[in-house]
Amino acid sequence: MGLAQDFDFNANLQNACNEVTKLRLAHAKQLISKESPNNGYKIWVDCLADAVNVYASESETEYEKLVDKVDDALDVIEDLDTKAPQQRQLRAEIKFYLALVQMKLGHETKAGMTVMSAYKLLEENKKLFPNYSANNKILGVIHVLIGSVPENYRWITKMLGLKGNIDQGIRELEIATQDKITGFEAKFFKLFIQSYILPINDKVRTEVNEFVQKYTDSELALFLGVAISEKDNKSDQAWKILQKVQNGNGYLPLPIFDFYTAEIYLQKGNYAKAESYYQAYLKKFKGHSFIKDSFYKLFITNYLSGENQQAIAFLQNINQYGKKLSESDKAAQKFYDNYTKTKQLPNKNLLQARLAIDGGYYKEALENIKDINENTLSSNLDKADFNFRKGRIYQNLGDTDLAIPAFERSIAFAQSLDTHFGASSSLQLGYIYQKKKDSKKALSWFEKALSYKKHEYKNSVDNKAQAAITDINN
């Protein structure tokens, strides 16, 4: 069979692909159904639509169907024109979509094996078709992930023959953003990586804003904008993006937008509104992500409102519902476990300061802790927490001379505690000295961040610290 028939990314399929990225999946499926079952691009878009649906819903039942569908899809594409660069590329991408779903659902070993298989196909394709730019999209993502693997796990990547680094991956993603077919996805992955693994900067913030403005009719783009804004402690910006979300009109309902709305209200101190949106999220969402975290936040809304009895009731739900896969869900479970041992409730001023910092309200956060000092706090955990929050406030207000000693105090108090404050403070000190162009001190703090063996934010802290080390050493 000829290349033209095997891999025809025609106008109808381009439209279907655009509908998938907008999360108008039902319309995308209608368009896909008009195509030949042996067109590789039809199979690819169809699998992408289903992978997005399962990723969003976290349905194990739909996941099992997706696995079967992917197996069939790969068999069909494998029988298509082997001299076409799309033959390996599309198979690799379908595998990669499946791996993302597997990772989201907690099937980490399967996800690793699936990524490996995709990587090998793309590396082979790159040798056969070195000028085929579509290879760069998924290879770029994988190369960044390889480059951010902590040093003590590098033996695994070497043993598996995985090669790549962060700079290489970002360059490849940049090339892929220029491609007509891969452009949207490549930009999505690039911005996600630059915000979640690398330290976000003004250039990335501008790119995120431009991406959202360009694709205001895409729920996927809006989700990315909201998620990154919240990650970047910019609640007011996240709120503006949330106002662009279209309900109905064939868009896939995303309860995560209720969750982010609740987060913003919580950070602003509007506890009643926050509670209503967390409840909406729990009612609408049937998956596991942020379930424990939502119950923890419902504990907070009631606790800070003086409703201690109701707060404790929500606290009990943390242990009964959801899974410990996301870092925030792990943190919620850890809070519950600590409470059951100590029966100690958190310091309200420290809690309010943390929430204000999360929203980017640094002056309000400073106001929250103005009457606190180490002598007013009874536990080393609270003292570590207090100094970490103080460090983050001063760091974000641009006063590193006050931030540095605060982070160092947090590390000292966290020394023998089961908490993230030591690792998180070390990471921030690394960033401060990296910005000061003091590579030696920056490296020592990033390495210290990696040295903490176990805490609830270990994956993200380790990835960021290793990414920074790689950046400095290049």
Side-chain angles (χ1 to χ4, degrees):
M1 197 180 282
L3 173 61
Q5 295 124 315
D6 281 7
F7 301 102
D8 179 17
F9 195 52
N10 57 44
N12 180 61
L13 281 174
Q14 289 175 40
N15 192 13
C17 189
N18 287 335
E19 290 294 273
V20 172
T21 61
K22 291 176 186 177
L23 299 193
R24 287 168 48 90
L25 300 185
H27 187 223
K29 284 287 190 178
Q30 288 174 6
L31 296 172
I32 291 165
S33 67
K34 299 174 182 177
E35 298 295 325
S36 161
N38 293 319
N39 181 346
Y41 277 112
K42 181 261 185 186
I43 298 165
W44 169 73
V45 177
D46 198 23
C47 286
L48 173 61
D50 286 349
V52 166
N53 187 46
V54 180
Y55 191 93
S57 69
E58 298 181 354
S59 165
E60 284 285 351
T61 305
E62 293 303 311
Y63 164 68
E64 294 299 334
K65 292 179 186 174
L66 178 66
V67 171
D68 290 340
K69 183 166 190 169
V70 165
D71 285 344
D72 292 341
L74 294 173
D75 285 344
V76 175
I77 297 177
E78 198 166 359
D79 288 338
L80 301 181
D81 189 352
T82 56
K83 293 178 182 177
Q86 295 94 331
Q87 200 257 17
R88 290 169 188 80
Q89 175 230 337
L90 296 184
R91 282 160 58 206
E93 293 200 6
I94 289 169
K95 286 172 184 277
F96 186 76
Y97 301 147
L98 177 63
L100 292 179
V101 172
Q102 289 170 328
M103 188 65 70
K104 184 85 178 292
L105 295 178
H107 307 309
E108 293 180 357
T109 303
K110 286 180 181 176
M113 291 170 65
T114 309
V115 169
M116 269 289 301
S117 181
Y119 171 81
K120 286 178 178 175
L121 276 172
L122 288 170
E123 283 291 315
E124 182 185 354
N125 213 36
K126 197 170 185 179
K127 287 175 185 173
L128 292 170
F129 308 99
N131 298 319
Y132 184 58
S133 66
N135 286 325
N136 290 300
K137 179 180 63 181
I138 302 304
L139 267 182
V141 177
I142 296 173
H143 286 150
V144 171
L145 295 176
I146 293 167
S148 60
V149 170
E151 194 67 42
N152 55 327
Y153 290 105
R154 287 288 171 87
W155 63 272
I156 299 175
T157 59
K158 287 177 182 174
M159 183 182 73
L160 295 173
L162 297 171
K163 297 175 182 177
N165 59 61
I166 293 166
D167 285 345
Q168 177 189 3
I170 295 295
R171 282 197 306 273
E172 288 165 336
L173 281 167
E174 190 58 54
I175 293 167
T177 63
Q178 310 305 315
D179 188 276
K180 180 179 76 171
I181 298 173
T182 64
F184 178 93
E185 276 184 272
K187 193 73 173 179
F188 181 93
F189 286 133
K190 178 175 173 281
L191 293 175
F192 188 90
I193 283 166
Q194 288 179 314
S195 304
Y196 277 75
I197 295 178
L198 308 177
I200 191 166
N201 56 37
D202 287 339
K203 183 176 180 289
V204 174
R205 292 183 184 104
T206 300
E207 286 185 36
V208 170
N209 187 51
E210 289 171 350
F211 186 68
V212 170
Q213 294 302 322
K214 184 177 180 180
Y215 299 106
T216 50
D217 61 344
S218 166
E219 278 204 350
L220 208 52
L222 296 179
F223 161 74
L224 185 72
V226 172
I228 290 175
S229 298
E230 276 293 289
K231 186 81 173 171
D232 195 28
N233 309 120
K234 294 197 180 328
S235 272
D236 290 343
Q237 182 175 297
W239 180 260
K240 287 176 185 174
I241 298 170
L242 278 168
Q243 306 319 301
K244 300 177 190 292
V245 174
Q246 301 183 48
N247 295 311
N249 297 327
Y251 285 91
L252 185 71
L254 287 185
I256 191 66
F257 288 132
D258 288 305
F259 178 83
Y260 281 126
T261 302
E263 294 279 275
I264 294 168
Y265 277 124
L266 181 61
Q267 290 155 6
K268 286 177 176 288
N270 190 333
Y271 305 130
K273 280 277 193 183
E275 177 162 354
S276 70
Y277 278 95
Y278 284 123
Q279 293 281 23
Y281 176 72
L282 289 168
K283 186 177 180 181
K284 294 176 187 176
F285 188 55
K286 305 306 177 190
H288 60 257
S289 290
F290 309 128
I291 300 299
K292 290 181 183 293
D293 189 33
S294 291
F295 282 119
Y296 170 59
K297 299 294 174 48
L298 285 168
F299 156 77
I300 290 176
T301 60
N302 283 272
Y303 177 56
L304 293 178
S305 301
E307 302 290 340
N308 281 23
Q309 192 173 348
Q310 186 61 46
I312 298 302
F314 281 122
L315 198 56
Q316 301 304 323
N317 286 337
I318 294 172
N319 198 46
Q320 296 178 41
Y321 302 102
K323 295 180 182 179
K324 293 188 295 180
L325 295 179
S326 73
E327 290 188 328
S328 59
D329 285 326
K330 289 176 185 175
Q333 184 67 46
K334 186 174 181 179
F335 179 84
Y336 168 83
D337 293 340
N338 287 339
Y339 172 75
T340 58
K341 292 174 191 170
T342 65
K343 300 300 178 187
Q344 286 185 335
L345 292 168
N347 181 291
K348 287 189 177 183
N349 292 103
L350 278 178
L351 195 51
Q352 286 170 320
R354 173 197 145 189
L355 296 170
I357 293 167
D358 287 347
Y361 308 120
Y362 304 115
K363 289 178 181 175
E364 291 85 345
L366 204 53
E367 186 69 19
N368 289 134
I369 64 168
K370 70 175 184 181
D371 296 325
I372 304 177
N373 60 56
E374 289 176 8
N375 295 327
T376 65
L377 301 169
S378 57
S379 71
N380 280 351
L381 182 61
D382 279 350
K383 290 174 184 178
D385 188 345
F386 166 66
N387 280 290
F388 177 71
R389 304 303 168 196
K390 194 163 64 166
R392 290 292 286 146
I393 293 166
Y394 288 129
Q395 182 186 19
N396 283 288
L397 289 174
D399 196 338
T400 54
D401 288 340
L402 288 174
I404 289 170
F407 284 132
E408 290 174 343
R409 291 290 287 169
S410 182
I411 291 165
F413 283 116
Q415 195 95 30
S416 58
L417 301 175
D418 178 19
T419 176
H420 72 93
F421 292 122
S424 295
S425 293
S426 299
L427 179 69
Q428 296 307 323
L429 283 167
Y431 285 145
I432 287 171
Y433 283 110
Q434 188 178 22
K435 208 170 180 181
K436 287 176 175 284
K437 309 292 185 188
D438 190 337
S439 296
K440 189 176 179 183
K441 276 190 178 177
L443 281 170
S444 70
W445 282 117
F446 288 134
E447 283 162 2
K448 185 169 179 63
L450 288 169
S451 72
Y452 289 85
K453 299 299 179 193
K454 191 179 179 185
H455 56 87
E456 58 271 40
Y457 298 114
K458 185 161 179 62
N459 284 347
S460 61
V461 169
D462 282 10
N463 283 341
K464 288 174 181 175
Q466 187 57 54
I469 290 169
T470 304
D471 184 44
I472 291 170
N473 287 333
N474 276 351

